Amino acid sequence: MSNAMYNKIWHQTQEALNSLLDKESETMTESQRNQGFIFQMLATFYIKYVQIFRNLENVYDQIVHPQKRLLIRKILDGVMGRILELKNEMVELELTEFHYFDDILQDLKLAPQQLDIPIPKYFLKEKLEVIKGREKILAQILADTGLDMAEKKYSVKSIPLEEAVKLIQIAERARQGRLRAMFMKQIFLQEYRAKQAKFLSEKVADLEAAALQIQKVWRGFHQHKKTEKLRQEEMIFLGMNPPPLFNEVSATIIQAEKVTSLRNEVQMKHEEKYREALVTIKDDLKLIEGPDIKENLQDQIRHWFIECRNLTGTFPDYPHVEEGGSAIIFSNKTPQQVTEDILASQEEEEKNKKNKKKAKKPKKPKEDKEKKSTREKSKEEDEGWKMSPSVFLPTMEEGNNIYKDMWRNRDESWNFPQDHDPELIKQEKRKELESEIRIQVDELMRQELKNLKLAVNREKEQPVKAGKKKGGKEKGKTGKKRKKDTDLTADRTIESLYKELVEEGLLIRALNVNLSDYIGEYSYLGTTLRRVSIEPMPSLLDVRQLIALYGILPLGSATVHENAPLVKSLLLAGPSGVGKKMLVHAICTETGANLFDLSAANIAGKYPGKDGLQMMLHMVSKVARQLQPSVVWIGDTEKTFYKKVPSAERMMEPKRLKKQLPKLLRLLKPDDRILIVGTTQRPFDAELQSFCKVYQKIILVPRPDYASRFVLWKQIIQRNGGIITNALNISCLAKVTDGFTQGHIVQVVKGVLTDRRIHRQNYKPLVAAEFVAALTRMSPVYQEEEESFKDWYAKTPMGKKRALALTGGTTEKGKGEKKE
C-alpha cells in the first residue's frame, strides 16, 4: 500500500476515535443501574477501541512521516491504556476474567478474529539493537561457562564391552540376512519370468481381445480421474475445500514484504533527518529571531510594571523561578487581559476580608440536619453504577485535538516523500526558544524591578525568606533519602551482576516463541451458555488474549504500565501440557524482556541462608529494574506455598520464597516494568490464602476443546512437514483426542512424522490410524481433573465473588467493595 492509503486509513480511524470519545464523554456523567445494559455498553466500547487499536498499530508501523508518527504513537498508547481500563471495568462488573461478546459481534458484523489484540511491532523495533547486544552477551557467557554446550549435548550412556559386541553381532547378522533375502528374491523373480514366458509362448495370442482389455482399463482409469477432478472443483466452488494454491505464498505477498522492509528503511532515514532538523532549525531561529524575542519580552514586562504602578500604586512582586517566572502572568494573554487580572485580584482581596468577618457567626443545628438529609439523598442517587475516571481519555482527547488542528485539513501536496515539515518544527522550537530566553530576561528584569523599587518606593527585599524555604526543602529531601533501602551491591556493576545471575542459572535464555504460535479457536457459545446459567470453560484464544492484555501490552509500553491498572503478578494454572511455559516465553519474546527463573527446583542450594536469599532477591530485582522489561518466572509455584512439604522435597527447601515474595511485590512501583509469573499444575497443594495474596490475576488454562483440537492437529501436522489429504480425517482425530493436551498432540505428530515417513507421503498419504496408535500409550486429562481445577478456582477471591454474584443476594456488597 502507498503512503496515501495509510494516510487515508489514519484519517478514517481518527474519525472513528473522535465519535467514540464523544460517546464516552456523554456516558461518564450518567449513572446506570441495569447490569446487563452496563456490560453491553462497556463491551461495545471495548470492541470499538480494539478495532481502532488494530488500525493505529498498522498505520504507526507503516507510515513514514516522522511528525505524524509522534502523534500516532501518543494516541496509540492512550488507546492501549483505555482498553486495559475497560477490561478492568468489565472484570469488576462481571467478577470474571473471561468475557464473551458473541451477540455484540453479530450486531457490529465483526468476526471473532477481529477481537485479537495485536502486539505493536515497535516494542521490539525501537530496541532491536539493545536486544541483539544483550543476546550476544548472554550467548558469550553461556559459551564461556559451558552451560550452552550442556543444554545441546545428548546424554550418552557407557555400556560394557560384551554388550557392545553383542549389539554389533546382531546388527551384522541382520545385514547379512537382508542381503540373502534380496538375493533369493532375485532368483525367484528370474524363475517366475521364465515360467511366464513359456506359458505365453504356448498360448495363441488374440490381438483383438488384448486391445479391448487395454481400452477397458484405460477408459475406466481416465473416467475415474475426470470424475475425481470434477468432484474437487465442486468442493472448491462450495467452499468445502481450499483452492489448489491456497497455502502457497503468492508473488504479491512477497512483493508486499519487500515494500514493508523498504518502508522501514525510509522510516529510519526520515527519523534521522528529523532529529538533525530539530537542532539546526533551533540554532537558526536563535540567531535570526532570538534578539527580537528578547526585546519584546523586556518591553512586555516593563509595560506590566508601569500598569501595576498606575492601578495599585505599588510595583508588583516578581514571580519566583519555581513558580514559572513571568510565564505565569503572560501565558497567551494580551495587555488588556493582564490589567483585568490585576483589578480582579484586588477585588478578590477586598471580598475575602469582608467574608472573614461574616464567617465568625456560629451555625444553627437545623442546618446540620438539613445537611445530613441532603447527604443521604446524594448517597441514594450515587448508588447507580458510574464509569471510573480515566487516565488515558485526556491524552486521547489532546491527541485528537492536535490532529484536528494540524493534520485533518492540511495540504501535503508539496510533501510527496512524506519527509518532516520544517514549519511545524519552527512553531515548536519558537516556544522552546522563548521559554529559554524568558529565564534570562527574568533575571535581568528582577534586577531592574529591584532598582525601580529602591529608586521610587525605597523598599528593600528580604531574601532571607527564600533562603529559609530552600533550606526547609533540602531538609525534607535529606530526610527522605535516609528512608531508602541500602544497596547491598553498590560497589558492583550491572554487567557483573548480570554475569553472576547467568552463571548461577537464575537468568535464562527465553525460547524464541511468538504469542501467535499458541494455536487455538474461539468459544462461539460463551454468551448462550451464560444466559442459561452455565459457566463455560474458556477457550485457548481467550487465554491468549488475557496474556496479551495483562502481560505483553504493559511490559512493552512504559506509558501504559505507569498509568493503566497495575498488574504485578500473574498465575497460570492448568494441567500438564497445555502451554503454560510456552506463554511465559512468548511474553519475553514479544516484549524483549529478560527471563529470571526463581522456581523452587532451580534455586535449591543456591545462595543459602537468610543473607544469601536476601542477596539473591536484591540482585534479581536490581538487574530486572536496570534492564527492564523483565519477567520473573516461578515454575511449579505451588511448591513455594505448600500446605505440607513432602518428605522427599524437604532438603530442597521449596518454601524459601514464601515470605519474600509479598515484600518483593510491595517494592514494585508503576515505573518498574517487572512481571512475576507463576505456573502450576497442582494449585490445590498450595495454601490458598497466601497463594492468592501473591498472585493478583489467576488465569485457568484449560485443555483444548473440539474446535481448538481441530485447528491444532491441522497446524501442527503442517508445521512438521505433513501433507493433509482427503485420506486424513482431521475431524475424526479431533473427536477421538478429547482430553488430550497440546503437548500430547505435538509429541504424537513428531513421533509419527519421521524423515522417512515425510518422504513417503506422495506414495502413501497420512491416515488417522497412524496417530491414534501413538496416542494409546498416553494418559489424557480426565474430566475429574478439570473439575478439580474448577472447584479450586471457585475458592479463590474472584471465584467466591463470582459465585455470590450469581446467587443474586450480594450485589450491594460488591458495589461497596468497588467504591472502596
Side-chain angles (χ1 to χ4, degrees), residues 221-272:
F221 173 77
H222 181 67
Q223 187 59 41
H224 174 73
K225 286 287 179 186
K226 192 177 178 182
T227 308
E228 193 177 346
K229 189 180 177 183
L230 287 167
R231 181 174 175 76
Q232 283 178 357
E233 286 174 359
E234 184 185 4
M235 294 298 278
I236 290 164
F237 175 74
L238 293 171
M240 299 296 286
N241 283 346
L245 301 173
F246 182 73
N247 293 320
E248 289 186 15
V249 181
S250 65
T252 50
I253 292 170
I254 294 164
Q255 183 62 29
E257 286 174 359
K258 285 180 182 176
V259 171
T260 303
S261 62
L262 286 169
R263 200 183 290 276
N264 291 334
E265 288 174 15
V266 173
Q267 268 182 9
M268 297 287 284
K269 286 175 185 175
H270 284 191
E271 285 287 341
E272 284 174 15

Side-chain angles (χ1 to χ4, degrees), residues 356-372:
K356 279 179 185 177
K357 291 176 182 178
K358 289 179 182 179
K360 289 177 183 178
K361 292 179 182 179
K363 289 179 182 178
K364 293 178 183 179
K366 286 181 182 179
E367 290 176 2
D368 295 335
K369 288 179 183 178
E370 286 174 5
K371 276 195 174 183
K372 283 180 184 177

Side-chain angles (χ1 to χ4, degrees), residues 85-151:
E85 284 179 339
L86 287 168
K87 177 68 181 177
N88 191 50
E89 289 279 351
M90 289 191 288
V91 169
E92 287 184 357
L93 184 73
E94 284 211 313
L95 302 171
T96 177
E97 298 292 348
F98 298 98
H99 311 288
Y100 303 100
F101 313 113
D102 317 338
D103 48 347
I104 302 166
L105 287 172
Q106 199 171 352
D107 294 341
L108 295 171
K109 296 179 181 177
L110 295 171
Q113 288 76 13
Q114 288 173 283
L115 265 182
D116 260 349
I117 302 293
I119 293 149
K121 296 175 190 71
Y122 80 81
F123 285 178
L124 294 176
K125 244 188 199 179
E126 291 183 359
K127 52 182 180 182
L128 198 61
E129 290 179 8
V130 177
I131 293 165
K132 282 181 179 176
R134 201 192 300 154
E135 282 177 358
K136 280 181 184 176
I137 294 163
L138 183 60
Q140 187 64 45
I141 295 166
L142 290 170
D144 292 344
T145 52
L147 294 168
D148 199 23
M149 295 301 291
E151 289 174 8

Side-chain angles (χ1 to χ4, degrees), residues 42 70 72 99 120 129 137 141 176 274 280 363 369 379 420 422 575 579 749 807:
L42 287 172
L70 285 171
I72 295 166
H99 311 288
E129 290 179 8
I137 294 163
I141 295 166
Q176 289 177 4
Y274 176 65
T280 53
K363 289 179 182 178
K369 288 179 183 178
K379 278 183 183 178
H420 64 270
V749 170
T807 56

Side-chain angles (χ1 to χ4, degrees), residues 374-388:
T374 52
R375 279 177 191 169
E376 285 171 8
K377 283 178 184 177
S378 65
K379 278 183 183 178
E380 287 172 9
E381 288 173 2
D382 290 341
E383 274 180 8
W385 180 89
K386 277 187 181 180
M387 186 92 76
S388 301

Side-chain angles (χ1 to χ4, degrees), residues 477-487 667 669:
K477 283 179 184 176
T478 51
K480 283 180 184 176
K481 278 181 184 176
R482 284 173 194 167
K483 289 178 185 176
K484 287 185 180 178
D485 295 329
T486 52
D487 190 352
L667 291 171
K669 296 172 185 175

